[in-house]
Each structure stands twice: as structure tokens, then as C-alpha cells.
């Protein structure tokens, strides 16, 4: 999202990372109404919907696969399509809120999320589900940017600080809620709905959020909203789609000509995207992602750190869902409960991350997070190798908790580092870049490392495939240690 000039904000994504408030956000134009506790609850309820839905689908993979006769590659697309739409439209969603009013866009986004959840819940086939998930990602991009923007525009002082703290905590809570709720709903098989309940349950929540939103959420908008970059948005969405479709479907199809052609098209679309963005910036307009930001040292450091963080996070969640349910034969509820230690540890670490960064510096916190997560991956691999296939959930808990600590430290620190390199008058564009890079990384993680995992299973078995992919994760974490230790202590 983008909130140019005085109304800029930053935000987390499905991974739960919290962005530090950008400089200048405190001078946002005041509105006639202040944010009250019930209004804040409504905004946080809306923010939780897209984050929970990102994680809840992982637990339902086996049920979706059996019911819709979906291939593993199609399951990857169920995740990636959501993230692509979210990443492509996030900045545009923020600008629409600046222009037409954030309460209006929040309400429209919540309503669209409910309708697309119904489309997911009644999907007759896997490609219908993929298309509905893409529409759901677009709805999330409409509602999610309005949450932190409204907090900044309608609160101040301690009220704002407390609201932002609660907002940052929603990510960690959403991981736990998504995994456990998915397991409970699939196992309960309410009225024979099976996996469809994970989407249909959104509808009553959406109705509550809509009813409360009209009455409790104060409205705000930018005094000088930026014009939307339609060409950049279309090129980014097409480029990501052209990259992800062959990465997820090409292997299973034997790399046909269309997969190769799409990869070539993705490179051409990427070049066209940056050409359009340079032209927009030179003309003094508001590009989706200003190329000049990429020359800022803090932005470069943040993007370097973000690559292993988000590629690893999304693929690990995908792999763990398959490992627990297809490899270890856990039921949906048992699989969801198994991941609770990771979610709780991530939540606790994300709460402590700001103070730890003040004490050690952002770079050292990143290095520490990579060490903790690497130790967690090692502990998981040892447990899997030692007790496969009769592995109890308690044997996985220490490794999952360490992974959660690492992830909880990484996500808020990433936003802090990247936004620290963005000039105050460009904070909206910088926060849009940070969130778009996050969502793109989450989609690419499933498409690349998730595809590698699936490709290795038929040849070596799931245990050995997991070991190979975790080794790749480990290389990424070593790179994260190197990036973190090379950062000046004052960064972030």
C-alpha cells in the first residue's frame, strides 16, 4: 500500500511481521472522530481475517486433495495465487483508501472477503478454488492497508502506541489460530462440509465486522492522495503470474513449451515493469514501486535480508503441513495442535523484538534469529531421522519452538531495517515496497522450495526430501547471518 506524504504507514503481511511506523506518520491530518476501543477491535478483527486464511489452508491440503482430486502442484497454486494477488494490489489498495476514504475501503474489502470466502467454500473444482483464492487475495489487499492507516490517522500518543502494539501481535496470534482452527474445522466436518468450513466460517465473522465497522470505525482520507499506477499494477501482477505458474505446474507437466514461454515472458514483463516505473518517477508521478528507492542502502539491506526470510517461511509452512499429514499420518486436528509451539514462540519473540533491537542493533538481531531458526531446523531433522515414521508431536515441539523464535525476531526486524533507509517524505512508497516484497517472497517460496520438495519425494522419500530442502533453508540462514553481521549497528 502507499500512503504518500503525511498519511503513510507500514504494515505486516500473512507472515505476521510488524512494520515500524514511518517517519511523519504522526502528522497525519486529524479527523472529526477519534479511534475508540470497539473501533480498534473491529479493525484488528478485519486484519486477522486475511492472515488467518493464509495459514488455515495448509492444514486442509489432504482433504482438498482428496475431495477435488487436486495435484500437489495445484495445492501450491492455492497458496501462491492468494499471495500474488495480495502482493500486486496492496499498494493500489492503500491509495484507494487515501482517495475514497479508509472506512469505505475497509468495508468494501471485508464484504469482498466474505463473498470470495463463499466462492472458495463452494468451489466445485481445484481451478475454481485457485481463482477464488486469487480474488480473496485481492479483497485482502483492499481491506488490510486501511487498518494501520486508520490507526495513525485517528489516534495519537499512548493510544496509538498501544494500538500498534496490538496490531503487531495479531500476526503471531493468527498463526496459532489459523493452524488450530483449520484442524478443528476439518476434523469436526460440520454438516458434512469438511475442508470447506475453513472458508465458510469467515462469513459470520465478516457480517460482525461489517456491522461494527459502520458504527465504530472513524473515517479518514489523505488530503492529497496519489494517483494509482494502473500500468505498474497490471505489469507486476502479470509478471508474478507468468513466473509462478510454470514454477508450480511446469515440473508436473514435464516442462512443456508453454512453461518455458511463460518464464521468458516473466523476464520481459519484469523489464517492462521497471521501465514504466522509471518513466512514472521521472515524470513526477507516483509509481507503484519507485526505482530510486532501490538505490537506498537501507532498502537494499532490507531486501537482501527479506529474501531468505520469506522464501524460507512460506515454504516451511507448506512442507510442514505435508510432512505432518501425509508423511507422519497425523489427522488435521493433531497436525494443527502440533504447530502451536511454533506459533506461540513466534508471538512471544515478535513482542520482544523491538526492545532487543534497541539493545543489540537490528543486524545482530537478524543474525541471532537465523541461528535460533537454524538450530530449530536441525532439531527437527534429528527428530525426524531418529524416530521416523512413528514420531510423536512432543518430539517436534523443541525444534518448532526454536523456529518460531527465529521467525518472530525476523519479521518485525525486516520492516524496521528496510524502512529505516527510506526518506521520511517517501515512507508510503517504502512501506509499499516492503510489504509487496514480503508477499512476493511468500509466493515464490512455495513455488520454488515447495516445488523442490515435491520433486524430490518420488525419488528419495519424504524424510530424505525434507532433509535436502532443510539444507537449502540452512544455506539461506547462513546468508542471513552474513547480511546481519555486516550491517552497521545503528541500522534500524
Amino acid at each position: 500500500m502507499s500512503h504518500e506524504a503525511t498519511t503513510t504507514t507500514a504494515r505486516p503481511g500473512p507472515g505476521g511481521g510488524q512494520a515500524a511506523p514511518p517517519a511523519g506518520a504522526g502528522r497525519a491530518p486529524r479527523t472529526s472522530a477519534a479511534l475508540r476501543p470497539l473501533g480498534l477491535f473491529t479493525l484488528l478483527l478485519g486484519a486477522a481475517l486475511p492472515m488467518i486464511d493464509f495459514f488455515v489452508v495448509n492444514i486442509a491440503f489432504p482433504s482438498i486433495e482428496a475431495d477435488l482430486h487436486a495435484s500437489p502442484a495445484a495445492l501450491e497454486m492455492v497458496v501462491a495465487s492468494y499471495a500474488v494477488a495480495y502482493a500486486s494490489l496492496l499498494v493500489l489498495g492503500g491509495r484507494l483508501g487515501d482517495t475514497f476514504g479508509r472506512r469505505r475501503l475497509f468495508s468494501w474489502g471485508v464484504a469482498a472477503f466474505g463473498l470470495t470466502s463463499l466462492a472458495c467454500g463452494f468451489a466445485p473444482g481445484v481451478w475454481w478454488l485457485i481463482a477464488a483464492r486469487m480474488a480473496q487475495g485481492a479483497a485482502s489487499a483492499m481491506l488490510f492497508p486501511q487498518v494501520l492507516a486508520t490507526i495513525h490517522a485517528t489516534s495519537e500518543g499512548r493510544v496509538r502506541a498501544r494500538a500498534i502494539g496490538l496490531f503487531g501481535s495479531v500476526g503471531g496470534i493468527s498463526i496459532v489460530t489459523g493452524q488450530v482452527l483449520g484442524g478443528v474445522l476439518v476434523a469436526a466436518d460440520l454438516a458434512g462440509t469438511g475442508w470447506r468450513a475453513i472458508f465458510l466460517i469467515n462469513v459470520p465473522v465478516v457480517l460482525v465486522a461489517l456491522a461494527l465497522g459502520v458504527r465504530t470505525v472513524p473515517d479518514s482520507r489523505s488530503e492529497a492522495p496519489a494517483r494509482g499506477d494502473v500500468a505498474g499494477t497490471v505489469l507486476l501482477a502479470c509478471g508474478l503470474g507468468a513466473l509462478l505458474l510454470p514454477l508450480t505446474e511446469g515440473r508436473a507437466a514435464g516442462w512443456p513449451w508453454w512453461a518455458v514461454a511463460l518464464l521468458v515472458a516473466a523476464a520481459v514483463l519484469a523489464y517492462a515493469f521497471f521501465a514504466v516505473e522509471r518513466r512514472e518517477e521521472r515524470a513526477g508521478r507516483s509509481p507503484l514501486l519507485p526505482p530510486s528507492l532501490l538505490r537506498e542502502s537501507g532498502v537494499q539491506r532490507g531486501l537482501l535480508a527479506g529474501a531468505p526470510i520469506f522464501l524460507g517461511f512460506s515454504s516451511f509452512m507448506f512442507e510442514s503441513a505435508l510432512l505432518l499429514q501425509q508423511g507422519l499420518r497425523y489427522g488435521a486436528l493433531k497436525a494443527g495442535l502440533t504447530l502451536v509451539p511454533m506459533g506461540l514462540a513466534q508471538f512471544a519473540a515478535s513482542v520482544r523484538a523491538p526492545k532487543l533491537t534497541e539493545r543489540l542493533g537490528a543486524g545482530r538481531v537478524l543474525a541471532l534469529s537465523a541461528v535460533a531458526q537454524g538450530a530449530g531446523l536441525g532439531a527437527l531433522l534429528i527428530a525426524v531421522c531418529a524416530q521416523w515414521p512413528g514420531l510423536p508431536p512432543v518430539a517436534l515441539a523443541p525444534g518448532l519452538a526454536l523456529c518460531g523464535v527465529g521467525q518472530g525476531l525476523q519479521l518485525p526486524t525486516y520492516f524496521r531495517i528496510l524502512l529505516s533507509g527510506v526518506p521520511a517524505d517517501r515512507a508510503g512508497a517504502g512501506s509499499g515496497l516492503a510489504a509487496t516484497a514480503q508477499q512476493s517472497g511468500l509466493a515464490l517460496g512455495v513455488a520454488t522450495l515447495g516445488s523442490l520438495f515435491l520433486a524430490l519425494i518420488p525419488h528419495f522419500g519424504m524424510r530424505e526430501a525434507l532433509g535436502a530442502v532443510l539444507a537449502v533453508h540452512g544455506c539461506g540462514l547462513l546468508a542471513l547471518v552474513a547480511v546481519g553481521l555486516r550491517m552497521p549497528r545503528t541500522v534500524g
Side-chain angles (χ1 to χ4, degrees):
M1 82 191 76
S2 177
H3 307 283
E4 302 293 340
T6 57
T7 57
T8 59
T9 66
R11 75 220 56 83
Q18 179 186 354
R27 297 187 180 92
R30 299 300 299 160
T31 57
S32 57
L35 182 63
R36 302 299 180 190
L38 190 56
L40 176 61
F41 168 80
T42 304
L43 290 172
L44 296 181
L45 180 64
L49 282 171
M51 288 190 281
I52 289 174
D53 244 48
F54 186 89
F55 294 104
V56 75
V57 73
N58 289 328
I59 295 298
F61 279 156
S63 299
I64 295 173
E65 182 179 23
D67 187 34
L68 300 183
H69 308 290
S71 67
L75 294 178
E76 290 182 83
M77 286 298 297
V78 170
V79 178
S81 61
Y82 179 91
V84 168
Y86 196 175
S88 303
L89 300 174
L90 198 57
V91 178
L92 182 62
R95 289 183 179 175
L96 289 174
D98 290 347
T99 303
F100 297 106
R102 297 180 183 117
R103 181 175 64 193
R104 177 181 297 178
L105 263 292
F106 176 82
S107 297
W108 288 356
V110 169
F113 191 89
L115 291 174
T116 53
S117 294
L118 281 173
C120 291
F122 289 107
V126 68
W127 285 102
W128 176 292
L129 179 60
I130 290 169
R133 283 283 287 173
M134 185 174 290
Q136 196 177 42
S140 298
M142 189 186 303
L143 79 89
F144 201 72
Q146 319 314 326
V147 176
L148 194 53
T150 300
I151 290 173
H152 275 294
T154 60
S155 63
E156 58 187 7
R158 291 184 177 179
V159 173
R160 177 185 293 172
R162 180 174 176 272
I164 293 172
L166 291 171
F167 177 73
S169 301
V170 166
I173 295 171
S174 296
I175 293 174
V176 180
T177 304
Q179 301 289 0
V180 177
L181 181 63
V184 169
L185 291 174
V186 173
D189 191 22
L190 301 173
T193 55
W195 62 269
R196 299 175 188 275
I198 68 173
F199 297 111
L200 298 177
I201 195 67
N202 292 333
V203 176
V205 180
V206 161
L207 293 176
V208 171
L210 282 174
L212 290 176
V214 174
R215 296 176 176 271
T216 66
V217 175
D219 199 13
S220 65
R221 68 185 67 200
S222 173
E223 294 180 347
R227 184 179 63 86
D229 180 8
V230 176
T233 300
V234 171
L235 285 170
L236 179 62
C238 292
L240 285 172
L243 177 63
L244 291 171
L245 185 60
L247 287 178
T248 53
E249 296 289 334
R251 174 193 57 82
W255 293 106
W257 66 269
W258 60 261
V260 178
L262 281 176
L263 288 174
V264 174
V268 174
L269 288 167
Y271 177 82
F273 172 72
F274 283 106
V276 167
E277 298 305 275
R278 278 196 303 269
R279 185 190 67 195
E280 290 285 300
E281 189 169 36
R282 287 170 180 169
R285 292 188 283 267
S286 302
L288 191 71
L289 298 175
S292 61
L293 278 180
L294 299 178
R295 295 193 290 270
E296 299 287 345
S297 59
V299 171
Q300 293 173 356
R301 284 190 288 260
L303 293 177
L304 276 175
I309 290 173
F310 299 123
L311 289 171
F313 179 78
S314 60
S315 62
F316 178 78
M317 297 304 296
F318 179 79
E319 294 148 17
S320 62
L322 296 180
L323 173 76
L324 294 177
Q325 296 189 76
Q326 295 185 2
L328 298 176
R329 304 296 180 185
Y330 289 2
L333 179 58
K334 187 176 180 180
L337 294 175
T338 298
L339 293 172
V340 166
M342 184 179 70
L344 294 177
Q346 181 171 355
F347 170 68
S350 67
V351 171
R352 296 293 302 171
K355 290 185 178 179
L356 197 59
T357 301
E358 295 293 338
R359 183 182 305 172
L360 301 178
R364 286 171 175 77
V365 170
L366 275 186
L368 178 64
S369 74
V371 171
Q373 190 173 3
L377 294 179
L380 288 174
L381 189 57
I382 291 171
V384 168
C385 291
Q387 302 185 54
W388 184 272
L391 187 64
V394 68
L396 296 170
L400 288 171
L402 283 170
C403 287
V405 169
Q407 292 160 355
L409 294 176
Q410 288 163 5
L411 296 170
T413 308
Y414 156 78
F415 279 100
R416 185 165 184 163
I417 291 169
L418 195 150
L419 291 174
S420 70
V422 177
D425 61 343
R426 309 184 74 190
S431 58
L433 171 62
T436 301
Q438 179 193 21
Q439 296 303 320
S440 301
L442 291 170
L444 286 170
V446 176
T448 53
L449 293 178
S451 292
L452 175 63
F453 182 60
L454 293 174
L456 293 175
I457 290 174
H459 301 288
F460 303 103
M462 186 169 288
R463 181 178 61 177
E464 290 72 16
L466 179 69
V469 175
L470 290 187
V472 177
H473 280 290
C475 292
L477 292 173
L478 286 175
L480 186 59
V481 171
V483 170
L485 292 179
R486 289 176 63 86
M487 289 184 188
R489 186 161 183 171
T490 55
V491 170

